[in-house]
Amino acid sequence: MGKSLDNFYKKQSLFYKYFLYLISIALIVFFFPRGGKFKYEFQKGKPWQYENLYAPFDFSIKKTAEEIESEQKNLTDNILVYYAYDDAIYQSAQQKYSQEFEKTFPIDALAASKRRDLFRLGNNLLDSIYKNGVFEQTISGKGILLVVNNEAKNLQPDQIVDFTRAEIIIQNELKNIYPEALRTQLTALLKGVIQTNTSYDKNLSDKALEDELSKISFTRGDVLEGKLIIAKGEVVESENFNILNSLKEEFESELWKGSNYYFILFGYTVLVALVLMMLFLFLKKYRPEIYSNNTKVTFIFVNILLMVFVTTLVVKNNESYVYVVPLCILPLILKNFFDARLGLFVHVLTILILGFVVPNSFEYIFLQIIAGIVTILTVSELYKRANLFISVGQITLIYITGYFAFHTIHEGNLENIELITFGIFLLNGMITLFVQPLIYLYEKIFGLVSDVSLLELSDTNSKLLKELSNKAPGTFHHSLQVANLAEAAANEIGANSMLVRVGALYHDIGKMNNPTYFIENQITNVNPHDDLPPKESAKIIIDHVIEGIELARKNGLPDRVIDFLRTHHGTTLVYYFFKKQQELDPEVEDSQFRYPGPIPFSKETAILMMADSVEAASKSLKSPTYMMIDEFVEKIIKGQMQANQFLNANITFKEIETVKKVLKQKLTNIYHLRVEYPE
């Protein structure tokens, strides 16, 4: 039992990777839309590259979204709306007419028969006007449905009466019948009693519109099983394109039903598993330091899952906005924390996974890969804000150019270009700019370090470097010199110069605890090592590495910076005190006089070891010449190579030669003898 537990603890890192691999596959497949994948790829305006396609089953030809939208708009514009008729207002108008008639035309004003005829005429006019109701204003363009006693009555535009038309009706009926004075009085009387007695019935109109919209068919015609849909080599035109899309939708929805569900699920799982396996193999073979770090592996997988999740979410809601998802954030982030090659590789793998989800997968994969390559090639020194804006502008330009090209291929012209697509690409670029706060968030969550953080750490006014300059000014000056040398060398061989500079600034902070025991901080001729045995002196010198690591962790320095503190002496020997001890005890072992290591494991840490040793030892040169500096640098670095200090670093002999050349040039500039001026 105990042995099994030991094996489990030894391999827990590997078990975690298995778990991460399986859970990532499960989540990605879960994110995928519930539908099969049509086995043919086709694009409008391009030839059909497969054999003759016959309908595998009966299916309906679906109308396009534009056709359905056009039908809905046409129906909405032309459907008759409902108005309610209020009979109570009509009855009130009649009563008011009778009352006002008595006041306007008293009994003694006219003959009885003439008065009766006049009253009857006015009443008939009122009935005629209210027959189809009185409206607030004329409704032009189409008729309406007037609801009277729960029955809908269809009124044409010329049957709709408003106040203006009512006045015209009155004047036409009274024309040349009575003297002008009577006509004027009766007209004024009728106009005074007429009121609007119709109102728009929104509920009934909306319900009628909804009922009519529900009757719109989303299909137009059927294709019977066995019918030729498209022949090999035939260009996919508008009609064929619609039929193929209808077959694709029907095919994918049918595939997901019944027992097919499990086969499709299995197929998706296998393909996603292959893609993620390629990522693990790449990390294991070419990035072993990342592969061995579960935090970094988790970080990479979290970013892949995030992009897959966001993209599938957009596709499920509205696939037209799939290019809003800023996929180029992925290579941006990975290049910032790791390197360009890994960033591009992960970007391509993520796009391959998304190819199962998005429409027009070839077009999508092409555009996204090109945009990813542009991202990798253009983005450098992300801590400079201008660089990010320039890169995002270039990415957006690539998307727009690609869209123009594909549109020209599909349509054969530049007509029908959708301007909203440009807005989508611009929005993509704006979202990509949010990579900066995202990088900061990732730093806090995963404990990684970016160039922006390195820039902040390189500030010599930071708390720790201020303390170093106060307690150990000689060490601080030495660190600045080493930083300049290491940065120049890193630039020459393409290493991370910002990381090297920060590592150099902090590599000797452990000397703050005992600054006077290090020669660069001694301002008098008194050397405290003179009163100590060599072993104890060597321990103080060696301990500055351990104490520096403790101090760095206490002040929250990132692990990538602490690596420089651990490796800048590797497993080299404190030679001076070892020789002194040998004079006292010829049989002494060198283990007590060696730094604990580890040895450098990257180009950057190897550069720092070389620059640190050369700069520190250069202080012993007296009246140096070009020849002396050349032999001096060669001797120090040759000794480090013979001590196998660079075995674990991915630095080549050619790069080491380049570093030596830079160090010689910089030291020559530092120690160059000036012309003596006369006093």
Coordinates of all heavy atoms in Angstrom, one line a residue, residues 369-433:
I369 N -5.7 32.0 -39.4 CA -4.3 31.6 -39.4 C -3.4 32.7 -39.9 O -2.4 33.0 -39.3 CB -4.1 30.3 -40.3 CG1 -4.6 29.1 -39.5 CG2 -2.6 30.1 -40.6 CD1 -4.5 27.8 -40.3
I370 N -3.9 33.4 -41.0 CA -3.1 34.5 -41.5 C -3.0 35.6 -40.5 O -2.0 36.2 -40.2 CB -3.8 35.1 -42.8 CG1 -3.7 34.1 -43.9 CG2 -3.1 36.4 -43.2 CD1 -2.3 33.7 -44.4
A371 N -4.2 35.9 -39.8 CA -4.2 36.9 -38.7 C -3.3 36.5 -37.6 O -2.6 37.4 -37.0 CB -5.6 37.1 -38.2
G372 N -3.2 35.2 -37.2 CA -2.3 34.8 -36.2 C -0.9 34.9 -36.5 O 0.0 35.3 -35.7
I373 N -0.5 34.7 -37.8 CA 0.9 34.8 -38.3 C 1.3 36.3 -38.2 O 2.4 36.6 -37.7 CB 1.0 34.3 -39.7 CG1 0.9 32.7 -39.7 CG2 2.4 34.6 -40.3 CD1 0.8 32.1 -41.1
V374 N 0.4 37.2 -38.7 CA 0.6 38.6 -38.6 C 0.8 39.1 -37.1 O 1.7 39.9 -36.8 CB -0.5 39.4 -39.2 CG1 -0.4 40.9 -39.0 CG2 -0.5 39.2 -40.7
T375 N 0.0 38.5 -36.2 CA 0.2 38.8 -34.8 C 1.5 38.5 -34.3 O 2.2 39.3 -33.6 CB -0.9 38.1 -34.0 OG1 -2.2 38.4 -34.5 CG2 -0.8 38.5 -32.5
I376 N 2.0 37.2 -34.6 CA 3.3 36.8 -34.1 C 4.4 37.6 -34.7 O 5.4 37.9 -34.1 CB 3.5 35.3 -34.5 CG1 2.5 34.4 -33.7 CG2 4.9 34.8 -34.3 CD1 2.7 34.4 -32.2
L377 N 4.3 38.0 -36.0 CA 5.4 38.7 -36.7 C 5.5 40.2 -36.3 O 6.5 40.7 -36.4 CB 5.2 38.6 -38.2 CG 5.4 37.2 -38.8 CD1 5.1 37.2 -40.3 CD2 6.7 36.6 -38.5
T378 N 4.3 40.7 -36.0 CA 4.3 42.2 -35.7 C 4.5 42.6 -34.3 O 5.0 43.7 -34.0 CB 3.0 42.8 -36.3 OG1 1.9 42.2 -35.7 CG2 2.9 42.6 -37.8
V379 N 4.0 41.8 -33.4 CA 4.0 42.2 -32.0 C 5.3 41.9 -31.3 O 5.8 40.8 -31.3 CB 2.9 41.5 -31.2 CG1 3.0 41.8 -29.7 CG2 1.5 41.9 -31.7
S380 N 5.9 42.9 -30.8 CA 7.2 42.8 -30.0 C 7.2 43.9 -29.0 O 6.6 45.0 -29.2 CB 8.4 42.9 -30.9 OG 8.4 44.2 -31.6
E381 N 7.8 43.7 -27.9 CA 7.9 44.6 -26.8 C 6.5 45.2 -26.5 O 6.2 46.4 -26.7 CB 8.8 45.8 -27.2 CG 10.2 45.3 -27.4 CD 11.2 46.5 -27.8 OE1 10.7 47.4 -28.5 OE2 12.3 46.4 -27.4
L382 N 5.6 44.3 -26.0 CA 4.2 44.6 -25.8 C 4.0 45.6 -24.7 O 3.0 46.3 -24.7 CB 3.4 43.3 -25.4 CG 1.9 43.3 -25.5 CD1 1.5 43.6 -26.9 CD2 1.3 42.0 -25.0
Y383 N 5.0 45.9 -23.9 CA 4.9 46.9 -22.9 C 4.9 48.3 -23.5 O 4.6 49.3 -22.8 CB 6.1 46.8 -21.9 CG 7.4 46.8 -22.5 CD1 8.1 48.0 -22.7 CD2 8.1 45.7 -22.8 CE1 9.4 48.1 -23.2 CE2 9.4 45.7 -23.4 CZ 10.0 46.9 -23.6 OH 11.3 47.0 -24.1
K384 N 5.3 48.4 -24.8 CA 5.2 49.7 -25.4 C 3.8 49.8 -26.1 O 3.4 49.0 -26.9 CB 6.2 49.8 -26.5 CG 7.7 49.8 -26.0 CD 8.7 50.0 -27.1 CE 10.1 50.0 -26.5 NZ 11.1 50.1 -27.6
R385 N 3.0 50.7 -25.6 CA 1.6 50.8 -26.0 C 1.4 51.0 -27.5 O 0.5 50.4 -28.1 CB 0.9 51.9 -25.3 CG 0.7 51.7 -23.8 CD 0.2 52.9 -23.1 NE 1.2 54.0 -23.1 CZ 1.1 55.2 -22.5 NH1 0.0 55.5 -21.9 NH2 2.0 56.1 -22.6
A386 N 2.3 51.8 -28.1 CA 2.2 52.0 -29.6 C 2.3 50.7 -30.4 O 1.6 50.5 -31.4 CB 3.3 53.0 -30.0
N387 N 3.2 49.8 -29.9 CA 3.3 48.5 -30.7 C 2.0 47.7 -30.7 O 1.7 47.1 -31.7 CB 4.4 47.7 -30.0 CG 5.8 48.3 -30.2 OD1 5.9 49.3 -30.9 ND2 6.8 47.7 -29.6
L388 N 1.3 47.7 -29.6 CA 0.0 47.0 -29.6 C -1.0 47.6 -30.5 O -1.7 46.9 -31.3 CB -0.5 46.9 -28.2 CG -1.9 46.2 -28.0 CD1 -1.7 44.8 -28.4 CD2 -2.3 46.3 -26.5
F389 N -1.1 48.9 -30.5 CA -2.0 49.6 -31.4 C -1.7 49.3 -32.9 O -2.6 49.1 -33.7 CB -2.1 51.1 -31.2 CG -2.9 51.5 -30.0 CD1 -2.3 51.7 -28.7 CD2 -4.3 51.6 -30.1 CE1 -3.1 52.0 -27.6 CE2 -5.1 52.0 -29.0 CZ -4.5 52.2 -27.8
I390 N -0.4 49.4 -33.2 CA 0.0 49.1 -34.6 C -0.3 47.7 -35.0 O -0.8 47.5 -36.1 CB 1.5 49.4 -34.7 CG1 1.8 50.9 -34.6 CG2 2.1 48.9 -36.1 CD1 3.3 51.3 -34.4
S391 N 0.0 46.8 -34.1 CA -0.3 45.4 -34.4 C -1.7 45.1 -34.6 O -2.2 44.4 -35.6 CB 0.3 44.5 -33.3 OG 0.0 43.1 -33.6
V392 N -2.6 45.6 -33.8 CA -4.0 45.4 -33.9 C -4.6 46.1 -35.2 O -5.4 45.5 -35.8 CB -4.8 46.1 -32.6 CG1 -6.3 46.1 -32.9 CG2 -4.5 45.2 -31.4
G393 N -4.0 47.2 -35.6 CA -4.4 47.8 -36.8 C -4.1 46.9 -38.0 O -4.9 46.8 -38.9
Q394 N -2.9 46.3 -38.0 CA -2.5 45.4 -39.0 C -3.4 44.1 -39.1 O -3.7 43.6 -40.1 CB -1.0 45.0 -38.9 CG -0.1 46.2 -39.1 CD 1.4 45.8 -38.8 OE1 1.6 45.1 -37.8 NE2 2.3 46.4 -39.5
I395 N -3.7 43.6 -37.9 CA -4.6 42.4 -37.8 C -6.0 42.8 -38.4 O -6.5 42.0 -39.2 CB -4.8 42.0 -36.4 CG1 -3.4 41.5 -35.8 CG2 -5.9 40.9 -36.3 CD1 -3.4 41.3 -34.3
T396 N -6.5 43.9 -38.1 CA -7.8 44.4 -38.6 C -7.8 44.5 -40.1 O -8.7 44.1 -40.8 CB -8.3 45.7 -37.9 OG1 -8.2 45.5 -36.5 CG2 -9.7 46.1 -38.4
L397 N -6.7 45.1 -40.6 CA -6.5 45.3 -42.1 C -6.5 43.9 -42.8 O -7.0 43.8 -43.9 CB -5.2 46.0 -42.3 CG -4.9 46.4 -43.8 CD1 -6.0 47.2 -44.4 CD2 -3.5 47.0 -43.9
I398 N -5.8 42.9 -42.2 CA -5.8 41.6 -42.8 C -7.2 41.0 -42.9 O -7.6 40.4 -43.9 CB -4.9 40.7 -41.9 CG1 -3.4 41.0 -42.1 CG2 -5.1 39.2 -42.3 CD1 -2.9 40.8 -43.6
Y399 N -8.0 41.1 -41.8 CA -9.3 40.6 -41.8 C -10.1 41.3 -43.0 O -10.8 40.6 -43.7 CB -10.0 40.9 -40.5 CG -9.7 39.9 -39.4 CD1 -9.3 40.4 -38.1 CD2 -9.9 38.6 -39.6 CE1 -9.0 39.5 -37.1 CE2 -9.6 37.7 -38.6 CZ -9.2 38.1 -37.3 OH -8.9 37.2 -36.3
I400 N -10.0 42.6 -43.1 CA -10.8 43.4 -44.1 C -10.4 43.0 -45.5 O -11.2 42.7 -46.4 CB -10.7 44.9 -43.8 CG1 -11.4 45.3 -42.5 CG2 -11.3 45.7 -45.0 CD1 -11.2 46.7 -42.1
T401 N -9.1 42.9 -45.7 CA -8.5 42.5 -47.0 C -9.0 41.1 -47.4 O -9.4 40.8 -48.5 CB -7.0 42.6 -47.0 OG1 -6.6 43.9 -46.6 CG2 -6.4 42.3 -48.4
G402 N -8.9 40.2 -46.4 CA -9.4 38.8 -46.7 C -10.8 38.7 -47.0 O -11.3 38.0 -47.9
Y403 N -11.6 39.5 -46.3 CA -13.1 39.6 -46.5 C -13.4 40.1 -48.0 O -14.2 39.5 -48.7 CB -13.8 40.5 -45.5 CG -15.2 40.8 -45.9 CD1 -16.2 39.8 -45.8 CD2 -15.6 42.0 -46.4 CE1 -17.5 40.1 -46.1 CE2 -16.9 42.3 -46.7 CZ -17.9 41.3 -46.6 OH -19.2 41.6 -46.9
F404 N -12.6 41.1 -48.4 CA -12.8 41.6 -49.8 C -12.5 40.5 -50.8 O -13.2 40.3 -51.8 CB -11.8 42.8 -50.0 CG -12.5 44.1 -49.8 CD1 -12.0 45.0 -48.8 CD2 -13.5 44.6 -50.6 CE1 -12.6 46.2 -48.6 CE2 -14.1 45.8 -50.4 CZ -13.7 46.6 -49.4
A405 N -11.4 39.8 -50.5 CA -11.0 38.8 -51.5 C -12.0 37.7 -51.6 O -12.4 37.2 -52.7 CB -9.6 38.2 -51.0
F406 N -12.5 37.2 -50.4 CA -13.5 36.1 -50.5 C -14.8 36.6 -51.1 O -15.5 35.8 -51.8 CB -13.7 35.5 -49.0 CG -12.7 34.5 -48.6 CD1 -11.7 34.8 -47.6 CD2 -12.6 33.3 -49.2 CE1 -10.8 33.9 -47.3 CE2 -11.6 32.4 -48.8 CZ -10.7 32.7 -47.9
H407 N -15.2 37.8 -50.8 CA -16.4 38.3 -51.3 C -16.3 38.4 -52.9 O -17.3 38.1 -53.6 CB -16.7 39.7 -50.8 CG -18.0 40.3 -51.3 ND1 -19.2 40.0 -50.7 CD2 -18.3 41.1 -52.3 CE1 -20.2 40.7 -51.3 NE2 -19.6 41.4 -52.3
T408 N -15.2 38.8 -53.4 CA -15.0 38.9 -54.8 C -15.0 37.5 -55.4 O -15.6 37.3 -56.5 CB -13.6 39.5 -55.1 OG1 -13.5 40.8 -54.4 CG2 -13.4 39.7 -56.6
I409 N -14.5 36.5 -54.8 CA -14.5 35.1 -55.3 C -15.9 34.6 -55.3 O -16.4 34.0 -56.3 CB -13.6 34.2 -54.4 CG1 -12.1 34.6 -54.6 CG2 -13.8 32.8 -54.8 CD1 -11.2 33.9 -53.6
H410 N -16.7 34.9 -54.3 CA -18.1 34.4 -54.2 C -19.0 35.1 -55.1 O -19.9 34.4 -55.8 CB -18.6 34.5 -52.7 CG -17.8 33.7 -51.8 ND1 -17.8 33.9 -50.4 CD2 -17.0 32.7 -51.9 CE1 -17.1 33.0 -49.8 NE2 -16.5 32.3 -50.7
E411 N -18.9 36.4 -55.2 CA -19.9 37.2 -55.9 C -19.4 37.6 -57.3 O -20.3 37.9 -58.2 CB -20.3 38.5 -55.2 CG -20.8 38.2 -53.8 CD -22.2 37.5 -53.8 OE1 -22.9 37.7 -54.8 OE2 -22.5 36.9 -52.8
G412 N -18.1 37.6 -57.6 CA -17.6 38.0 -58.9 C -17.6 39.5 -59.0 O -17.3 40.0 -60.1
N413 N -18.0 40.3 -58.0 CA -17.9 41.7 -58.1 C -17.9 42.3 -56.6 O -17.9 41.5 -55.7 CB -19.2 42.3 -58.8 CG -20.5 41.7 -58.2 OD1 -20.7 41.9 -57.0 ND2 -21.3 41.1 -59.1
L414 N -17.9 43.6 -56.5 CA -17.9 44.2 -55.2 C -19.3 44.7 -54.7 O -19.4 45.5 -53.8 CB -16.9 45.4 -55.2 CG -15.4 45.0 -55.4 CD1 -14.6 46.3 -55.4 CD2 -15.0 44.0 -54.3
E415 N -20.3 44.2 -55.4 CA -21.7 44.6 -55.0 C -22.1 43.8 -53.8 O -21.5 42.8 -53.5 CB -22.6 44.4 -56.2 CG -22.3 45.3 -57.4 CD -23.3 45.0 -58.6 OE1 -24.2 44.1 -58.4 OE2 -23.1 45.5 -59.6
N416 N -23.1 44.3 -53.1 CA -23.7 43.6 -52.0 C -22.7 43.4 -50.8 O -22.9 42.5 -50.0 CB -24.3 42.2 -52.4 CG -25.3 42.4 -53.5 OD1 -26.1 43.3 -53.5 ND2 -25.3 41.4 -54.4
I417 N -21.7 44.3 -50.7 CA -20.8 44.2 -49.6 C -21.5 44.7 -48.3 O -22.1 45.7 -48.3 CB -19.5 45.1 -49.8 CG1 -18.7 44.4 -50.9 CG2 -18.7 45.2 -48.5 CD1 -17.4 45.2 -51.2
E418 N -21.5 43.9 -47.3 CA -22.2 44.2 -46.1 C -21.3 45.1 -45.2 O -20.3 44.6 -44.7 CB -22.6 42.9 -45.3 CG -23.6 42.1 -46.1 CD -24.0 40.8 -45.3 OE1 -23.6 40.7 -44.2 OE2 -24.8 40.0 -45.9
L419 N -21.7 46.3 -45.0 CA -20.8 47.2 -44.2 C -20.7 46.8 -42.8 O -19.7 47.2 -42.1 CB -21.4 48.7 -44.3 CG -21.4 49.3 -45.7 CD1 -22.0 50.7 -45.7 CD2 -20.0 49.4 -46.3
I420 N -21.7 46.1 -42.3 CA -21.7 45.7 -40.9 C -20.5 44.7 -40.6 O -20.0 44.7 -39.5 CB -23.0 44.9 -40.5 CG1 -23.1 44.8 -39.0 CG2 -23.2 43.6 -41.2 CD1 -24.4 44.2 -38.5
T421 N -20.0 44.1 -41.7 CA -18.9 43.2 -41.5 C -17.6 44.0 -41.1 O -16.8 43.5 -40.3 CB -18.6 42.4 -42.8 OG1 -19.8 41.8 -43.2 CG2 -17.6 41.3 -42.6
F422 N -17.5 45.2 -41.7 CA -16.3 46.0 -41.4 C -16.4 46.4 -39.9 O -15.4 46.5 -39.2 CB -16.3 47.3 -42.2 CG -16.1 47.0 -43.7 CD1 -17.1 47.4 -44.6 CD2 -15.0 46.2 -44.1 CE1 -16.9 47.1 -46.0 CE2 -14.8 45.9 -45.5 CZ -15.8 46.4 -46.4
G423 N -17.7 46.7 -39.5 CA -17.9 47.0 -38.0 C -17.5 45.9 -37.1 O -16.9 46.1 -36.1
I424 N -17.8 44.7 -37.6 CA -17.4 43.5 -36.8 C -15.9 43.3 -36.7 O -15.4 43.1 -35.6 CB -18.0 42.2 -37.5 CG1 -19.5 42.2 -37.3 CG2 -17.4 40.9 -36.9 CD1 -20.3 41.1 -38.0
F425 N -15.2 43.6 -37.8 CA -13.7 43.5 -37.7 C -13.1 44.6 -36.9 O -12.2 44.3 -36.1 CB -13.2 43.6 -39.1 CG -13.5 42.4 -40.0 CD1 -13.8 42.5 -41.3 CD2 -13.5 41.1 -39.5 CE1 -14.1 41.4 -42.1 CE2 -13.7 40.0 -40.3 CZ -14.1 40.2 -41.6
L426 N -13.7 45.8 -36.9 CA -13.2 46.9 -36.1 C -13.5 46.6 -34.6 O -12.6 46.8 -33.7 CB -13.9 48.2 -36.5 CG -13.5 48.8 -37.8 CD1 -14.3 50.0 -38.2 CD2 -12.0 49.2 -37.8
L427 N -14.6 46.0 -34.3 CA -15.0 45.6 -32.9 C -14.0 44.5 -32.5 O -13.6 44.5 -31.3 CB -16.4 45.1 -32.9 CG -16.9 44.7 -31.5 CD1 -16.8 45.9 -30.5 CD2 -18.4 44.2 -31.6
N428 N -13.7 43.6 -33.3 CA -12.7 42.6 -33.0 C -11.3 43.2 -32.6 O -10.7 42.8 -31.6 CB -12.5 41.7 -34.2 CG -11.4 40.6 -34.0 OD1 -10.3 40.8 -33.7 ND2 -11.9 39.3 -34.1
G429 N -10.9 44.2 -33.4 CA -9.6 44.9 -33.0 C -9.7 45.6 -31.7 O -8.8 45.6 -30.9
M430 N -10.9 46.3 -31.4 CA -11.0 47.0 -30.2 C -11.0 46.1 -29.0 O -10.4 46.3 -27.9 CB -12.3 47.8 -30.2 CG -12.3 49.0 -31.2 SD -13.9 49.8 -31.2 CE -14.0 50.5 -29.5
I431 N -11.6 44.9 -29.1 CA -11.6 43.9 -28.0 C -10.2 43.4 -27.8 O -9.8 43.1 -26.7 CB -12.6 42.8 -28.3 CG1 -14.0 43.3 -28.4 CG2 -12.5 41.7 -27.2 CD1 -15.1 42.3 -28.8
T432 N -9.5 43.2 -28.9 CA -8.1 42.7 -28.8 C -7.2 43.6 -28.0 O -6.3 43.1 -27.3 CB -7.5 42.5 -30.2 OG1 -8.3 41.7 -31.0 CG2 -6.1 41.9 -30.2
L433 N -7.5 44.9 -28.0 CA -6.7 45.8 -27.2 C -6.8 45.5 -25.7 O -6.0 46.0 -24.9 CB -7.2 47.3 -27.4 CG -6.9 47.8 -28.8 CD1 -7.5 49.2 -29.0 CD2 -5.3 47.9 -29.1

